[in-house]
Amino acid sequence: MYNVVIVDDEPIVVEALRKSTVWDDFGLEVIGDAYNGIEALELMEKHHVHLLITDVRMPQMDGIELIRSIHQRGWDIRIVILSGHDDFLYVKQAVKLGVENYMLKPLDKNEFVASISAIVEKLQDTANRQIGLAEQLNAFRENLLLRWVTGSISRAELKEKSQIAQIELNLDCFRIALIKVLSGEDNAQKHRVALMIRDQLAQWFNHETLRLSFCDSSHDVVAIFSEPTEASDGAPLLGQLKLFLSEIKARNDLQILITIGQRTTDLLGADFSYQSAKELQGYSFLLPPNSLIDSDDDTKNHSGQEQLPSFPYETINNLILAGRKEECLELTRAALEGLQDASHLPLLQLKNALLELLFQIANTVKKSVVNPQHVPDQFKHLYLRFESSTRFDDLAKLVYDTVALASDLFGDKSGTANATIKPILDYVLQHSNQDLSLKTLSYKFNINASYLGQLFRKETGILFSSYLNHLRIEKAKELLMQTDMKMTDIAAKVGYLEPSHFYKIFKKATGVSPAEFK
C-alpha cells in the first residue's frame, strides 16, 4: 500500500480526488489532505508519503515552493501537479524539479488513470530493487556472522567485510545469546517462528540487534550483544533477556529456551561464546519450557570431577523380582529426585544412570520370558523411546513407568509363569505326535528341565508325560471316529511307535480298547 497526500486550496477538488476509485484500483491510500504547502509539509513530516498530488497556485506556500522544500529535505516522493493555468513558466519549473506529470484542470480521467498507473509501476520497480539489494546484503551479513561465530574467518577479513555488511564491530566485550524454538512440528515452522522472534528481539533492544543476529542451521536465533568489560556489570543483559522472555510468553503461545554464552573481549573469541551457549542447550531436558540459562550461573560451571549420588540399581532390581511394588516405586522415586538435584553434574552422567537402570530392568524381564515374542511391548525399543525424550521429566516418567510395569509383572507370579510356559504349551499342542520330552523341550527353549517340569505341573495340574498322553489320546479319538484308518496307522499318527503301547495307554485313559471305542 502506497500513501498519497492531496494539496489544493479548492475543497471541491480535494473532495472529488478523495472519492476517486483510482486509489483502490492501484493499491493507493489517501492518508491526508492540505490546503497549502505549509500544511502539506507538516503532514508529510509525520507520515511516509509516496505520491503527492498538488495544485500550483495556493496561499502562503505554492506548489513550486512545496516541491523545492521536499527536495531540500531529501524525501523520495513522486509528484503530480494539477493546475488550472496553462502557464509555460510553471510547466518549465515543474520539469526542472522532476515532477511525474503536469495536468490541467478539469482532469481528463483517462490521462489521470494512465499517469497514476505509470507512477505505481515505478514505485513497485523501486521497491523490488530495494528488496533485492536488501536481501543480498542480508545474505552477505548472515554468512559473515555465521563464519564469525564459528571461527571460520580471519581478523583482517572480518574487519574488511563488516564495513560492507554495515556492521559495527566496536565491541570491547560481548556475549552471544541463543534462542531455541522448542515448539513446532517441523523445521520449516521452527524457522518461521525463529525469524519472528528475531524481529521481536530487534524491537525489544534496538535496530543494531537485527544487524548482529541471524538464524543458524539449527534454526536457533543467534544474537551478539555488547556488554561492559567488568563481569560484575553483566546483569543488564540478563535482566533484559528475562523481560524479553516474559514478553514472548505473554504474547505468543510458544516454547523457547534462551542460553547466554561466555563473555569475551577478543573479536575472534566469538566461537568460544557461541559454543558455550550451544552446550548450555543440553540442559533443556532438566528444565521446564521457556527457561533462561546463563553461563555465569555457578551451578552450571562444574569441574566434571564430582560423582553421581549412589544409585540403587541392584536393590530396585531385587524388589522387582520379589514383586514388592510399593517399596520399589518409593525407592525409584527417591533415586530420581536425587538425580535431578545433581543437575550440576555433566548431562551424560545423568542420562547414563537412567539408561543403565532401564537396561537392567529390561534384561530381567526378558530373561523371565522364554519366547522373545512374548516380551511385553512396553519393554521393546526402550532405547529409542529414551533417545526421543528431550526432557528429564519425560525420561524420569519412562523409568518410573517401566519399573512399575515390571513390578506388576513379577508381582503376579502366575502371570510370569504363564508368560514362560504358554509358548511351550503351544509348541507341545502343535507337535504332540513327535518324540517330545522335558529334556528335548528344555534344550529347544533354553530352560532348565527340572524347572520346566515344575512349571508344567503348576500350569496344567499334571505331569508332563500325562499331559502329552492326554493330547495324543484325544487326537486318536478323533481319528477313530472320523476316519477308517487302521489302528497301527492311528498309533503312529498320534506319536506311538509301538501299537501295543498305544493300546495300553488308550485303555487306561478311556477304560476301553481302541476297537471298542470305535
Side-chain angles (χ1 to χ4, degrees):
M1 184 71 73
Y2 298 111
N3 298 330
V4 180
V5 167
I6 300 170
V7 188
D8 200 300
D9 60 346
E10 297 180 61
I12 192 171
V13 174
V14 172
E15 188 63 23
L17 286 171
R18 267 190 170 277
K19 291 181 177 179
S20 174
T21 60
V22 71
W23 314 123
D24 288 337
D25 292 343
F26 289 98
L28 299 166
E29 180 183 5
V30 178
I31 62 167
D33 53 60
Y35 294 97
N36 58 59
I38 293 176
E39 290 181 7
L41 286 175
E42 291 176 354
L43 183 61
M44 289 187 285
E45 289 279 1
K46 300 174 183 177
H47 302 280
H48 183 200
V49 178
H50 301 90
L51 173 60
L52 174 69
I53 309 292
T54 183
D55 191 6
V56 177
R57 293 184 179 179
M58 296 179 293
Q60 298 185 36
M61 179 184 285
D62 65 20
I64 299 300
E65 290 181 68
L66 172 61
I67 296 170
R68 289 197 181 102
S69 296
I70 288 173
H71 289 335
Q72 289 171 0
R73 287 166 170 77
W75 294 342
D76 183 15
I77 299 176
R78 306 285 171 172
I79 301 170
V80 172
I81 289 180
L82 305 181
S83 178
H85 307 279
D86 189 7
D87 190 321
F88 178 73
L89 177 62
Y90 282 134
V91 174
K92 183 178 179 182
Q93 289 178 313
V95 170
K96 187 181 293 185
L97 290 171
V99 301
E100 299 294 327
N101 202 349
Y102 187 105
M103 304 177 68
L104 294 175
K105 302 175 185 177
L107 292 177
D108 180 286
K109 183 177 180 181
N110 291 333
E111 182 187 2
F112 183 62
V113 169
S115 181
I116 296 299
S117 175
I119 290 171
V120 169
E121 187 174 340
K122 289 180 180 179
L123 286 171
Q124 290 176 340
D125 286 344
T126 300
N128 289 337
R129 284 197 302 272
Q130 290 174 343
I131 291 172
L133 290 173
E135 288 179 347
Q136 291 179 30
L137 182 60
N138 282 335
F140 178 80
R141 183 185 296 125
E142 290 184 6
N143 178 262
L144 179 64
L145 291 174
L146 176 63
R147 292 180 61 199
W148 181 24
V149 302
T150 55
S152 306
I153 192 170
S154 68
R155 189 183 303 274
E157 185 182 3
L158 175 61
K159 288 186 175 181
E160 177 187 350
K161 290 188 174 179
S162 65
Q163 295 179 358
I164 302 173
Q166 300 175 6
I167 296 174
E168 292 290 338
L169 291 183
N170 299 324
L171 303 171
D172 295 328
C173 180
F174 63 94
R175 304 177 75 183
I176 291 178
L178 301 181
I179 304 177
K180 174 172 282 296
V181 179
L182 301 177
S183 52
E185 297 179 358
D186 53 43
N187 288 335
Q189 183 179 359
K190 287 184 176 182
H191 188 70
R192 287 194 297 270
V193 173
L195 291 176
M196 179 194 72
I197 291 175
R198 180 186 171 218
D199 290 341
Q200 293 181 0
L201 191 70
Q203 294 172 16
W204 185 266
F205 285 88
N206 53 56
H207 183 68
E208 189 60 26
T209 303
L210 192 62
R211 294 179 184 273
L212 288 172
S213 63
F214 68 100
C215 293
D216 65 12
S217 58
S218 301
H219 312 293
D220 295 342
V221 178
V222 183
I224 299 103
F225 290 99
S226 175
E227 273 210 327
T229 305
E230 297 79 9
S232 60
D233 291 337
L237 173 60
L238 180 60
Q240 284 295 312
L241 284 174
K242 284 181 177 178
L243 291 174
F244 175 72
L245 180 59
S246 299
E247 181 74 8
I248 288 291
K249 287 193 292 185
R251 291 171 52 186
N252 306 280
D253 184 21
L254 296 175
Q255 293 184 356
I256 63 173
L257 170 72
I258 299 180
T259 56
I260 310 175
Q262 297 282 350
R263 60 177 48 79
T264 178
T265 57
D266 182 5
L267 277 180
L268 296 189
D271 60 330
F272 166 69
S273 186
Y274 177 70
Q275 288 303 322
S276 63
K278 279 286 186 184
E279 290 170 5
L280 288 176
Q281 290 181 341
Y283 286 93
S284 63
F285 101 111
L286 287 168
L287 301 171
N290 297 315
S291 294
L292 185 149
I293 312 175
D294 184 8
S295 58
D296 283 348
D297 185 349
D298 290 336
T299 62
K300 300 296 180 285
N301 293 332
H302 55 77
S303 64
Q305 302 301 314
E306 299 175 75
Q307 296 297 315
L308 280 173
S310 178
F311 204 82
Y313 302 108
E314 187 174 349
T315 305
I316 291 175
N317 210 43
N318 289 339
L319 289 173
I320 290 174
L321 289 170
R324 292 156 62 181
K325 181 178 180 179
E326 293 305 320
E327 295 176 62
C328 186
L329 291 180
E330 184 60 34
L331 182 60
T332 302
R333 188 182 299 110
L336 291 173
E337 289 175 356
L339 275 185
Q340 190 159 24
D341 290 341
S343 61
H344 57 285
L345 295 176
L347 295 175
L348 188 59
Q349 282 186 258
L350 299 176
K351 285 189 172 183
N352 284 346
L354 295 174
L355 190 59
E356 184 174 345
L357 178 60
L358 276 181
F359 276 164
Q360 285 198 16
I361 298 168
N363 287 335
T364 298
V365 172
K366 289 175 182 177
K367 287 178 181 177
S368 73
V369 180
V370 174
N371 191 335
Q373 294 180 350
H374 292 89
V375 174
D377 289 341
Q378 292 90 333
F379 294 96
K380 298 177 181 178
H381 312 302
L382 272 178
Y383 182 75
L384 292 179
R385 292 167 63 196
F386 181 91
E387 283 298 304
S388 65
S389 299
T390 57
R391 302 186 34 70
F392 181 85
D393 290 345
D394 297 334
L395 294 174
K397 186 177 186 305
L398 175 61
V399 171
Y400 188 84
D401 290 349
T402 304
V403 170
L405 183 64
S407 299
D408 287 338
L409 185 63
F410 284 92
D412 180 5
K413 297 297 184 181
S414 62
T416 308
N418 283 336
T420 303
I421 196 65
K422 186 179 183 305
I424 302 178
L425 290 174
D426 291 343
Y427 181 83
V428 172
L429 180 63
Q430 296 170 16
H431 302 86
S432 60
N433 62 336
Q434 297 179 8
D435 183 18
L436 298 180
S437 66
L438 288 175
K439 185 175 182 180
T440 57
L441 290 173
S442 66
Y443 178 78
K444 178 173 181 58
F445 289 93
N446 191 28
I447 190 171
N448 181 271
S450 177
Y451 177 59
L452 179 57
Q454 294 175 20
L455 290 180
F456 253 105
R457 187 160 187 172
K458 183 175 181 179
E459 186 69 18
T460 64
I462 57 178
L463 296 175
F464 169 72
S465 57
S466 300
Y467 179 74
L468 181 60
N469 282 329
H470 169 74
L471 293 177
R472 288 175 172 176
I473 296 304
E474 289 300 311
K475 181 64 176 176
K477 287 180 184 179
E478 292 179 15
L479 295 175
L480 286 168
M481 294 295 292
Q482 299 173 10
T483 72
D484 294 325
M485 293 174 62
K486 295 179 180 180
M487 298 300 174
T488 54
D489 293 338
I490 290 177
K493 180 75 173 177
V494 299
Y496 294 105
L497 299 180
E498 295 292 335
S500 58
H501 185 53
F502 167 60
Y503 296 149
K504 180 181 177 180
I505 297 297
F506 191 93
K507 187 168 185 176
K508 182 179 178 180
T510 63
V512 296
S513 68
E516 291 171 333
F517 182 86
K518 187 172 178 66

